[in-house]
Amino acid sequence: MAKFYVQSGTLREMVQADDARKAALWAVHRSMQQILPIYDDHAMPASEKHQVAQLQGLFVLGDEIRLSELGFDRDDALEFETFDIVTEWNQLMIALARLEESLMAVR
């Protein structure tokens, strides 16, 4: 796995991923975790999520997600449209929810 420096809006994070697109998807996932009940934090009430977000700082994505294997603020960084990555992330979450439903129906 490669290490990517991901930045968009207030998000600046190092991510390990197979490729840049997967790193961008992970950045969107991290941002969406602040507001949606995803996985482990589903039992956390909204007020507690708000407090955690304030303490850790909110991730607010910009129009593009920039990725580089060499560092932040690089002119040669790859760019993805945030809307496209969020759309792809949403499709993945829907597919996972359907898979989970299918598995529960089998039990």
Side-chain angles (χ1 to χ4, degrees):
M1 276 198 221
K3 178 172 49 172
F4 292 92
Y5 296 84
V6 183
Q7 61 189 105
S8 179
T10 62
L11 176 79
R12 288 174 67 95
E13 186 169 282
M14 280 192 310
V15 174
Q16 286 192 327
D18 292 333
D19 59 43
R21 188 164 204 88
K22 289 176 185 173
L25 282 165
W26 182 250
V28 166
H29 183 72
R30 291 266 296 134
S31 298
M32 297 304 284
Q33 279 182 310
Q34 300 172 124
I35 55 175
L36 296 175
I38 301 170
Y39 305 120
D40 296 338
D41 65 354
H42 67 278
M44 188 184 296
S47 60
E48 191 174 337
K49 280 187 177 189
H50 178 73
Q51 288 173 343
V52 169
Q54 282 185 323
L55 290 173
Q56 294 179 348
L58 290 171
F59 297 133
V60 178
L61 299 176
D63 291 336
E64 294 91 24
I65 300 173
R66 297 175 45 84
L67 301 101
S68 173
E69 292 185 65
L70 302 175
F72 293 112
D73 301 317
R74 302 274 308 178
D75 290 334
D76 58 350
L78 293 172
E79 290 187 6
F80 294 104
E81 292 293 322
T82 299
F83 182 80
D84 294 341
I85 300 298
V86 169
T87 300
E88 187 174 344
W89 176 87
N90 185 55
Q91 292 168 344
L92 286 169
M93 292 299 107
I94 291 169
L96 285 173
R98 288 180 180 161
L99 180 61
E100 185 177 37
E101 286 175 17
S102 297
L103 290 172
M104 297 303 255
V106 171
R107 289 185 182 176

